[in-house]
């Protein structure tokens, strides 16, 4: 602290400590849904427009053939969507323009499917690029953030005037039940996934080496919140031992004693050892949207079924009532 500078003398910097925000980089940063990632928004809009136009072509073709007949665009749109989703069609097409439309949609769906499926093959088999490299990108991701419970960290976030650090504290740390935690808890959260932990990596890396697998180490990414800090051997202001300490520490540096203890006590960032035989795992969070889609489909089906049953009962009631009325009139 600046108010304490005048109470001690610095001798020699014996080590550098690095405070980093460590996390397992997610395959999907959370900015975009994984099942929408293969294509840009304009591509998805173009696909929807093409399917709608194809349904309109089928509807117009049957309307022209039937002259005064009705055209059900919803039915043809369902047919087109089924073909686009690689579903077969067993109906009879007697109009040439309808055949051309269906063949074109099938070819279009096959080509789109190839691009879409190749994205997921590469997504699960290849290591995704680590796109979270700055505090701004970390703030925009769906990762939760925890901070090592040190007095310095509390003081830093209370006094900092850096906008991104203030937003990180307000949006990621304050609402989090593990906003401030010790190193063992923080590293265990990082191992579990979905968490970023800001700590002194000199001893945090040691826990990572002891508890993480090779695959988890390869997923690690670090973001710097504030720069590296040097460690000095400090003495009281005006101490007569300042010069002997300075000379002795310089001598230790010359003969390699300082470097020896730096290598022993300050563990460097774990290196990733690629294992080509590692099996590819699909996590539940990767496909959870599919379960929600299935659940939503069941809910809609049940709702439509209830409406159809109610409609059928109402029609049956009025038809029965009309029949009884006519029958009584005929008897009279």
């Amino acid at each position: 602290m600046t108010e304490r500078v005048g109470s001690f003398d610095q001798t020699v910097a014996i080590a550098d400590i690095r405070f980093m925000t460590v996390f397992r980089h997610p395959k999907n940063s959370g900015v975009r849904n994984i099942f929408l990632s293969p294509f840009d928004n304009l591509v998805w809009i173009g696909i929807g427009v093409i399917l709608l136009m194809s349904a309109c072509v089928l509807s117009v073709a049957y309307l022209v053939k039937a002259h005064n007949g009705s055209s059900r665009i919803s039915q043809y749109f369902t047919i087109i969507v089924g073909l686009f989703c690689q579903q077969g069609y067993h109906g009879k097409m007697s109009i040439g323009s309808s055949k051309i439309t269906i063949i074109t949609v099938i070819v279009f769906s096959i080509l789109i499917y190839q691009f879409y499926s190749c994205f997921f093959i590469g997504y699960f088999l290849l290591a995704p690029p680590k796109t979270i490299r700055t505090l701004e990108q970390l703030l925009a991701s769906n990762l939760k953030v925890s901070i090592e419970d040190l007095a310095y960290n509390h003081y830093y976030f209370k006094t900092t005037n850096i906008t991104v650090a203030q937003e990180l504290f307000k949006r990621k740390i304050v609402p989090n039940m593990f906003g401030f935690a010790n190193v063992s808890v923080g590293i265990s959260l990082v191992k579990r996934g979905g968490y970023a932990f800001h700590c002194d990596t000199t001893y945090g890396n040691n826990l990572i080496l002891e508890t993480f697998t090779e695959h988890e180490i390869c997923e690690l990414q670090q973001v710097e919140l504030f720069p590296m800090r040097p460690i000095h051997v400090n003495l009281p202001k005006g101490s007569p031992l300042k010069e002997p300490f300075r000379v002795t520490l310089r001598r230790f540096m010359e003969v390699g004693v300082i470097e020896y203890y730096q290598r022993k006590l300050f563990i460097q960032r774990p290196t990733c050892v690629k294992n080509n035989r590692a099996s590819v795992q699909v996590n539940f969070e990767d496909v959870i949207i599919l379960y929600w889609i299935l659940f939503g489909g069941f809910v809609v089906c049940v709702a439509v079924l209830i409406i159809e049953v109610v409609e059928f009962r109402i029609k049956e009631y009025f038809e029965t009532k009309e029949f009884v009325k006519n029958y009584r009139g005929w008897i009279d």
Side-chain angles (χ1 to χ4, degrees):
M1 312 301 178
T2 55
E3 63 271 13
R4 298 174 58 190
V5 172
S7 61
F8 62 87
D9 285 328
Q10 295 181 349
T11 56
V12 177
I14 60 173
D16 294 320
I17 58 173
R18 185 182 297 273
F19 287 86
M20 302 292 290
T21 305
V22 185
F23 55 92
R24 290 176 58 189
H25 197 288
K27 291 183 178 180
N28 183 21
S29 61
V31 178
R32 186 178 176 88
N33 187 278
I34 180 177
F35 294 101
L36 298 177
S37 298
F39 298 139
D40 188 67
N41 291 333
L42 289 178
V43 178
W44 286 115
I45 294 174
I47 291 174
V49 170
I50 289 174
L51 296 182
L52 185 59
M53 289 178 58
S54 302
C56 292
V57 170
L58 287 180
S59 181
V60 170
Y62 277 92
L63 180 63
V64 171
K65 181 181 179 181
H67 299 290
N68 296 327
S70 60
S71 177
R72 296 173 291 179
I73 189 172
S74 60
Q75 176 183 354
Y76 299 125
F77 185 76
T78 304
I79 294 173
I80 292 297
V81 171
L83 292 173
F84 180 76
C85 296
Q86 309 292 314
Q87 301 298 314
Y89 177 68
H90 302 287
K92 182 179 180 181
M93 291 292 172
S94 58
I95 306 175
S97 59
S98 301
K99 296 179 180 179
I100 295 174
T101 301
I102 288 179
I103 293 174
T104 305
V105 171
I106 292 175
V107 174
F108 175 75
S109 65
I110 291 174
L111 295 178
I112 289 293
Y113 179 76
Q114 294 299 318
F115 288 104
Y116 193 82
S117 59
C118 287
F119 170 85
F120 286 102
I121 292 174
Y123 177 85
F124 289 115
L125 295 182
L126 300 177
K130 295 182 179 180
T131 57
I132 304 177
R133 299 180 179 274
T134 62
L135 286 178
E136 290 80 5
Q137 294 171 340
L138 178 63
L139 186 63
S141 70
N142 57 357
L143 290 172
K144 299 178 182 179
V145 179
S146 182
I147 304 295
E148 185 180 359
D149 193 5
L150 296 176
Y152 179 82
N153 289 329
H154 287 273
Y155 177 83
Y156 174 80
F157 283 104
K158 287 180 180 179
T159 58
T160 183
N161 56 0
I162 301 176
T163 304
V164 64
Q166 294 174 346
E167 287 294 320
L168 188 71
F169 182 75
K170 181 172 63 175
R171 292 168 50 184
K172 296 279 190 178
I173 301 173
V174 174
N176 184 7
M177 63 178 299
F178 297 105
F180 287 92
N182 58 43
V183 178
S184 59
V185 173
I187 296 299
S188 64
L189 292 174
V190 174
K191 179 178 174 63
R192 190 172 69 183
Y195 267 89
F197 184 58
H198 178 76
C199 66
D200 183 355
T201 56
T202 53
Y203 46 82
N205 289 336
N206 190 30
L207 283 176
I208 291 174
L209 288 173
E210 293 176 355
T211 59
F212 279 48
T213 63
E214 291 184 3
H215 176 71
E216 292 169 346
I217 289 177
C218 291
E219 291 181 343
L220 286 180
Q221 176 72 343
Q222 295 182 351
V223 174
E224 187 177 84
L225 179 59
F226 41 77
M228 185 170 51
R229 309 293 192 193
I231 299 178
H232 294 265
V233 176
N234 299 325
L235 297 173
K237 193 71 174 180
S239 174
L241 298 177
K242 177 181 177 180
E243 190 64 19
F245 264 88
R246 188 185 66 81
V247 174
T248 303
L249 290 174
R250 288 294 184 186
R251 180 59 179 167
F252 283 163
M253 295 177 69
E254 290 178 0
V255 298
V257 175
I258 299 294
E259 183 179 0
Y260 168 77
Y261 280 101
Q262 285 180 349
R263 292 177 179 271
K264 182 179 180 179
L265 301 177
F266 295 84
I267 306 299
Q268 299 298 318
R269 178 177 177 177
T271 57
C272 172
V273 180
K274 296 293 185 180
N275 185 6
N276 296 327
R277 294 175 297 176
S279 59
V280 178
Q281 293 183 342
V282 180
N283 299 323
F284 180 72
E285 56 268 17
D286 293 330
V287 296
I288 189 173
I289 185 64
L290 299 181
Y291 290 92
W292 283 112
I293 293 175
L294 184 62
F295 176 74
F298 284 149
V299 172
V300 173
C301 289
V302 172
V304 172
L305 177 62
I306 293 174
I307 294 174
E308 290 178 344
V309 170
V310 171
E311 181 185 8
F312 174 76
R313 295 299 183 187
I314 293 174
K315 287 184 179 179
E316 186 180 30
Y317 171 77
F318 283 107
E319 289 176 356
T320 304
K321 187 176 181 180
E322 185 69 22
F323 174 76
V324 172
K325 181 180 179 180
N326 294 336
Y327 179 75
R328 287 179 179 176
W330 180 74
I331 294 295
D332 295 340

